Amino acid sequence: MPSQLSAADFLSLRMQYKNTQTAEEWPAAIEHDFADGRMVDHYFVVPAPSLLEDPAVKDLGEVVGLLFLQQPAGAPWQVLLHEKAMIRDVTFEMPEEEFRRLLQNNHLILPGEPGFQMP
């Protein structure tokens, strides 16, 4: 199992706000720091085939949620994938620069960060 994910492990990321989930999307949350505190935002993410084929992810079964969790002091993000019963999860790390590349690839700015505009 790769211990780190990159932006290439996701085909798309978009806000849930006023959108409907498609069959290939997983619900995702991003918990992140911003100037005034900490925030959780909700998204839909499409995993790349490389992530779907990862043995740990395949062993998990049906993934029903994903959490990108920012760590303090620039440490790599934690990415948690949860199975249907929410009892087991698989955790990866994602370097800050890869997480930012994922946002940039999908033309996203996190709420609370400079330049964010509601869709």
Side-chain angles (χ1 to χ4, degrees), residues 9-47:
D9 289 306
F10 301 96
L11 301 178
S12 70
L13 177 70
R14 67 187 180 105
M15 291 191 86
Q16 283 189 21
Y17 181 75
K18 294 188 177 183
N19 288 308
T20 303
Q21 182 178 354
T22 64
E24 68 274 359
E25 290 178 316
W26 291 344
I30 298 175
E31 184 174 335
H32 60 97
D33 298 323
F34 69 110
D36 295 328
R38 195 147 176 94
M39 187 179 294
V40 176
D41 310 302
H42 299 277
Y43 295 81
F44 294 119
V45 64
V46 176

Side-chain angles (χ1 to χ4, degrees), residues 52-79:
L52 294 172
E53 292 301 317
D54 182 276
V57 175
K58 288 177 88 168
D59 186 51
L60 195 57
E62 181 184 358
V63 175
V64 295
L66 186 146
L67 172 63
F68 294 96
L69 181 59
Q70 188 176 23
Q71 301 300 300
W77 288 67
Q78 296 291 304
V79 182

